[in-house]
Amino acid sequence: MDEKNTNINLPEPVTKNLFDKSQEKREIGGQELIKVIQNATSDKIVIEIAKHLKERYITQQQFQYKKGGLHGLYSIAIDMVTKKNSDTIIKNCLNYIIDPMIECMRDKEERVRYTAIEYLFLTSKLLGDVVLNKLEDTYKNLVQSFLDPDESVRKAASQLDNCLKSLVMSTAPEKQNFKIQSFVKTISTQIVFKNQQVKLNLISWINTLNSIPHIELFDYIEGFLAELFLMLADTSNKDPFTNEAKIAARKQLEEFQRDLERYSKRSSFSQQQELKTHRQIIEILLDLCQNKQSDAHVLSQVLNWIMEYLKIFNQLELSGGQIIKGIDLMSNVFEQRRDSVLQSVIMEKLNNILKIILSLLSLDSPQIVNQAQQINDLLLQIMDKMKASGKEFVDIMPTIQDMLKEKNNHTAEKALMWMRHLLNTQTEKLKPMIENILENLIERLKDAEAQVVENVMDVLARISHEQYFDMVIEKILDIFHKNVNLLNRMSQIIIKKLCEFWNAEVVYTQICNKLLVNYVYVGDDNLDLAFTQQLVQSLEQLLITEPRLQNIRMKLKNYKYEKNQKTAKSTYEFFISIYKTFCYNEVSALSLSLLIEEYELTYNIILTIAEQETNLEILVQIARLTLLLESPVFAYLRLQLLESANHPFLIQSLQGLMMLLPQSPIQKYLKSRLKNVELFVKPHSDLSQCREIQNKLDTQLLLQLFKNSKQEQQDLKDNYTKSQFK
């Protein structure tokens, strides 16, 4: 029957008293109405009476009509309870009793709003938990009442709210009046409300629901978890309830965090539901880590949750190979043991967790960085634990490589730690990715600080299998060639680390050979002598000054006196391999010839240099070499000056260097050294005291190699000049 076509005519005593201003008369009118209802032959008539009260009186403008109509609806509820009607009958009539009251909660007049809440409170107490069938609609409107400008309305709303909470807590599990899932959705839509008092009330509802034994609120936590975290960052300082809401939110989050382990280990549950819940919670936590609204307070709490999850995971007994299977069959029914549900989710989200944690290491907040560091360490422990069970982590390598590109060195260092760890434990599985890994590592060298460079080189060393060594050297040279800044800043550090991790002779040989092949003997169009000269200078400086290269330095110095033919041959081959490349930097060739005590070669190189016009760059390098001659490395050379008969070309070489240098403090310093030698050298030395020198190098051959390199450089300059005039 349509609401607009009811044929109900209430007796005059009912209407007269029901709409009287006196409370006593209204109660009499209510009793008269109950008598009318008692004579009704069916529930439909009761419903029609309720409709009539709404249409005829509650929709009117006058307050007394509205109040009388609401009292009439309450009277219908009294009759239903008196008759002890079944819940089914009450449910059938509930909409017609409760809905008009809810509508009046939105009335423009505060007296009507107050009265509606008052009668809704009385009706709820009267009917009991059956009114929870209308809980969602009631609460949506109740939220607005908390903000009512009239204090009496707000107090009435609070009273009704407490009544509804009591009904929810007292509802038996088997009853279907209260639908937790739909109500949590209502909370989810209301919790974003900006008013802190509303949020405070919503938290109290969450706390109430969480305290009910037969309700597992974790199953629905995704609806409000993120907002609870964000409440910690709320800056609504003008709202007096802000701090109170923050405290309540923090307490509730801490309580949920304590319940994580219980939820993860409960004995009776739906695996699919728990899988869904854990996945949603972790996704919320990771989203919050990236949310711009998440300040340090929020992040700290979120990281506490992630840490708690990982601790629980680490405590669980491993469930064998079924974990990976669980990941693959995430949408299917699990036949795994209970522990593997959480394990599966953590393994599924490991990539995302790691990426977030590595990113957080770059923040300015010491607290957040410290928490992220703890989580990072725990993740490494978990990986070790899972690795012992045969699990593979190859799929996290792309994430690690992405994080390696981060500008922040702290994040990059931890990414390198993970990469190093994986290379130690998953070497075979990573082989198909090695080239890509190398490219990312070499790329990271571009703008890295010294500490990051050392870590990158350490990781490179761990993939120094024979088949990758050439590739490492080639890629390092390539990035030096493309990045002059890196070549200037880091070439010596990187070469030093290469020599530390690999055999220094092999490193020098490989670099020099590849310089010849890729940057010198490749045709005039691609000839890059400037790059070769600069890198050779770095190689030479390290060879002369680096303490950790003392072994190869001593090997070269002792070559002429080496009696072991095998060692002598090895030294000769090493010398020739690097000398050919060193010849493309005149001063580096000089340093090498001095180091190996080939002073005749040194003198001839000086004469060859003098044949052409020397530029400022060469003079600067000669000055640098002159200063190096005063270092401990060349102490033996300075002593040999006292044996001029044994080393006639040594003094001539130093005199030649002095003559090449312009008048300067360095030139005067060398001149002073040579004058001091003259004071000690006897005019006729006893040649019988000379040491026998074996394995003498072919000086003419070496000199010719040097002259050839000079001619190549000159040809290049000539060709370039000609091309400019065409």
Side-chain angles (χ1 to χ4, degrees), residues 512-522 577 580-581 584:
C512 289
N513 287 343
K514 289 189 180 300
L515 281 173
L516 289 178
V517 172
N518 297 331
Y519 300 96
V520 178
Y521 299 151
V522 292
S577 68
K580 289 178 181 178
T581 308
Y584 288 89

Side-chain angles (χ1 to χ4, degrees), residues 522-537:
V522 292
D524 292 343
D525 292 340
N526 299 319
L527 198 62
D528 198 335
L529 286 173
F531 166 66
T532 302
Q533 288 169 346
Q534 192 169 351
L535 189 54
V536 163
Q537 185 177 332

Side-chain angles (χ1 to χ4, degrees), residues 27 108 138 161 177 263 372 386 393 401 407 453 479 481 490 522 554-555 575 600 630-631 653 675 698 714:
E27 289 180 0
K108 62 182 179 180
T138 304
D161 183 66
N177 295 328
Y263 183 76
M386 299 299 285
F393 294 84
Q401 293 193 90
K407 296 297 182 184
V453 167
I479 199 170
H481 184 242
M490 291 293 178
V522 292
M554 293 302 296
K555 191 173 182 180
F575 170 75
E600 182 180 354
E630 297 298 323
S631 69
S653 295
K675 280 186 177 181
D698 186 341
Q714 187 58 48

Side-chain angles (χ1 to χ4, degrees), residues 344-607:
S344 296
V345 177
I346 296 294
M347 292 294 289
E348 176 194 356
K349 299 295 181 182
L350 184 61
N351 247 328
N352 308 75
I353 295 172
L354 181 60
K355 185 172 184 178
I356 293 295
I357 295 305
L358 290 177
S359 297
L360 292 178
L361 289 169
S362 65
L363 294 185
D364 294 330
S365 169
Q367 179 185 1
I368 300 302
V369 170
N370 182 55
Q371 287 179 284
Q373 177 62 63
Q374 291 180 40
I375 293 173
N376 183 71
D377 294 342
L378 185 54
L379 284 169
L380 285 169
Q381 290 178 27
I382 288 172
M383 191 177 83
D384 287 339
K385 180 177 179 179
M386 299 299 285
K387 174 177 67 69
S389 306
K391 304 302 173 290
E392 297 175 2
F393 294 84
V394 177
D395 58 334
I396 69 173
M397 182 57 85
T399 295
I400 294 171
Q401 293 193 90
D402 285 343
M403 300 314 297
L404 186 62
K405 299 173 185 176
E406 288 290 314
K407 296 297 182 184
N408 183 275
N409 287 331
H410 200 179
T411 295
E413 284 176 28
K414 296 306 176 184
L416 285 167
M417 178 192 295
W418 273 90
M419 187 174 285
R420 185 166 57 242
H421 207 77
L422 281 175
L423 287 166
N424 281 344
T425 58
Q426 311 278 319
T427 307
E428 290 301 315
K429 298 293 182 181
L430 289 171
K431 277 187 176 181
M433 305 170 64
I434 288 294
E435 186 166 354
N436 185 255
I437 292 172
L438 283 176
E439 288 178 359
N440 280 283
L441 285 169
I442 300 298
E443 188 70 18
R444 185 62 179 124
L445 292 173
K446 279 185 179 179
D447 54 359
E449 299 298 328
Q451 183 60 43
V452 175
V453 167
E454 291 201 11
N455 286 328
V456 169
M457 298 308 298
D458 183 52
V459 176
L460 285 172
R462 295 176 190 276
I463 48 179
S464 60
H465 308 288
E466 249 179 66
Q467 65 266 41
Y468 303 125
F469 179 75
D470 283 355
M471 189 187 301
V472 170
I473 298 297
E474 282 184 4
K475 290 188 178 297
I476 288 176
L477 292 181
D478 183 59
I479 199 170
F480 280 161
H481 184 242
K482 293 176 180 176
N483 195 306
V484 177
N485 181 48
L486 180 67
L487 179 63
N488 294 333
R489 287 190 312 113
M490 291 293 178
S491 59
Q492 290 196 32
I493 293 174
I494 292 172
I495 293 169
K496 190 189 304 183
K497 297 303 290 185
L498 286 171
C499 293
E500 182 180 327
F501 294 127
W502 290 300
N503 181 289
E505 278 190 45
V506 175
V507 170
Y508 264 69
T509 301
Q510 282 290 84
I511 290 177
C512 289
N513 287 343
K514 289 189 180 300
L515 281 173
L516 289 178
V517 172
N518 297 331
Y519 300 96
V520 178
Y521 299 151
V522 292
D524 292 343
D525 292 340
N526 299 319
L527 198 62
D528 198 335
L529 286 173
F531 166 66
T532 302
Q533 288 169 346
Q534 192 169 351
L535 189 54
V536 163
Q537 185 177 332
S538 294
L539 291 168
E540 172 241 327
Q541 288 179 13
L542 281 174
L543 182 61
I544 301 299
T545 61
E546 174 55 40
R548 281 173 285 193
L549 296 183
Q550 184 180 13
N551 287 342
I552 60 173
R553 195 161 51 240
M554 293 302 296
K555 191 173 182 180
L556 289 168
K557 284 168 59 177
N558 294 329
Y559 168 67
K560 295 180 71 174
Y561 315 106
E562 181 60 59
K563 296 187 180 298
N564 185 300
Q565 294 298 317
K566 185 177 180 181
T567 304
K569 181 183 178 183
S570 170
T571 305
Y572 173 77
E573 290 172 350
F574 171 58
F575 170 75
I576 289 295
S577 68
I578 64 173
Y579 176 77
K580 289 178 181 178
T581 308
F582 274 41
C583 283
Y584 288 89
N585 185 308
E586 293 94 333
V587 180
S588 295
L590 276 176
S591 297
L592 189 57
S593 62
L594 286 169
L595 184 64
I596 205 168
E597 298 187 21
E598 276 298 336
Y599 303 130
E600 182 180 354
L601 175 62
T602 304
Y603 181 65
N604 285 309
I605 289 175
I606 292 171
L607 292 177

Side-chain angles (χ1 to χ4, degrees), residues 225-234 288 291 293-294 298:
L225 182 62
E227 193 61 33
L228 282 177
F229 277 110
L230 291 175
M231 284 184 193
L232 304 179
D234 206 306
L288 284 167
N291 192 329
Q293 297 181 55
S294 301
V298 176

